[in-house]
Amino acid sequence: MTSHNGMTSHNANDVNDADGATDLDSAKDLNSTNDLSSASAADDEIRSRTLRIGILGTGAMAVALGGAWVRAGHEVMVGGRNAAAAAKAAAGIGAAGHGSLVEAARYGEAVLVAVPADVAPQLAKELASDLAGRTVLDCTVPMALAADGPALTTAGGTDSVAVRLADAAPDAGVAKVFGVPHESIWTLRRPAFEGAPLAVPFCTDAPLAAALTAELITSMGCVPLPCGGLHRAALLEAAAVFAIGVWWSGGEARHAFPAPALAPGAVDDAP
């Protein structure tokens, strides 16, 4: 891994995953010194222990989430098959360093899979021994264009990329998370909308992965929203594809899901 403070501790390489660089300057959404001071104080309150997170991939989602984690005080390493792309992504977000996919997989407690959904399971299989004992964060969206809009590329039912990753790396704790919002949301400091912090849904079968995922979400100023076991990950993937289709059509996905409490006399549909 090559670090970005002038020290060298490993080597480099990258991933074939659309190296779209997200403009992290958009994260500077606070316009005054007072606002910045308040944000810093709030960040200190929610910041947890420092986590070490390896990122597999160098594209837009890798950069956006990696940048969010660096801002939250975590140590991030960007890994990929292309050394120049990994170095550029890492430098752009102020990561601790960059390296190969194997080095990123071995780097810390958590590993983000931010490569195209169709290659993610095979990559996880190749890195299975390196991912063992770690929390694998799956933000992929299995999607392809169809005649009437984006469509899932999985088989439906309980099939999902997350389940396939768990099958490919059985000794890792896989969590489906971070894939529902557009990647631009992760460039915001402590994302909040209509006065409420962003809720981040996730699914996992592994208690340790659930605890680490919730801790990581909280450190970003967001609210963890556990949604059940990994067999429900397909619902999150479908939700992401649905939202993308709505956005592409010019609509707002959030307008389709008003809270029942907004209707006078409404009664919650409790299970």
Side-chain angles (χ1 to χ4, degrees):
M1 181 185 82
T2 301
S3 80
H4 297 287
N5 59 5
M7 299 176 64
T8 300
S9 55
H10 294 182
N11 194 9
N13 280 330
D14 173 22
V15 132
N16 300 323
D17 72 332
D19 292 329
T22 300
D23 183 4
L24 296 181
D25 287 338
S26 62
K28 299 175 182 177
D29 57 329
L30 302 172
N31 298 318
S32 71
T33 301
N34 289 338
D35 286 342
L36 287 170
S37 297
S38 298
S40 178
D43 287 346
D44 288 341
E45 288 181 9
I46 62 174
R47 186 167 292 160
S48 64
R49 64 191 172 104
T50 298
L51 298 173
R52 286 166 59 93
I53 308 165
I55 296 180
L56 307 181
T58 59
M61 188 64 94
V63 169
L65 280 168
W69 294 332
V70 169
R71 292 194 303 275
H74 302 300
E75 296 178 2
V76 173
M77 176 184 175
V78 179
R81 290 195 177 98
N82 181 286
K88 180 179 179 181
I93 63 175
H98 65 278
S100 68
L101 293 171
V102 170
E103 289 172 322
R106 295 174 177 172
Y107 182 68
E109 304 97 316
V111 182
L112 175 70
V113 177
V115 300
D118 57 345
V119 303
Q122 180 58 38
L123 179 60
K125 184 176 181 179
E126 294 170 4
L127 298 174
S129 62
D130 304 301
L131 297 173
R134 307 178 198 277
T135 293
V136 174
L137 307 166
D138 171 24
C139 70
T140 64
V141 178
M143 184 187 79
L145 287 178
D148 54 353
L152 279 170
T153 57
T154 50
T158 60
D159 181 36
S160 67
V161 175
V163 167
R164 297 179 187 184
L165 292 180
D167 290 341
D171 294 324
V174 176
K176 189 74 189 185
V177 64
F178 299 122
V180 174
H182 188 269
E183 66 260 15
S184 61
I185 298 303
W186 304 122
T187 68
L188 302 175
R189 181 189 295 272
R190 296 183 292 110
F193 305 92
E194 298 178 356
L198 177 69
V200 181
F202 68 92
C203 295
T204 184
D205 291 333
L208 290 178
L212 189 146
T213 300
E215 180 181 1
L216 184 57
I217 291 169
T218 301
S219 76
M220 300 162 72
C222 302
V223 177
L225 184 61
C227 295
L230 211 57
H231 67 284
R232 293 174 60 82
L235 298 176
L236 296 187
E237 294 179 354
V241 173
F242 168 79
I244 290 168
V246 172
W247 295 328
W248 284 359
S249 71
E252 279 285 354
R254 63 190 178 92
H255 292 164
F257 300 100
L262 296 177
V267 177
D268 246 350
D269 293 329

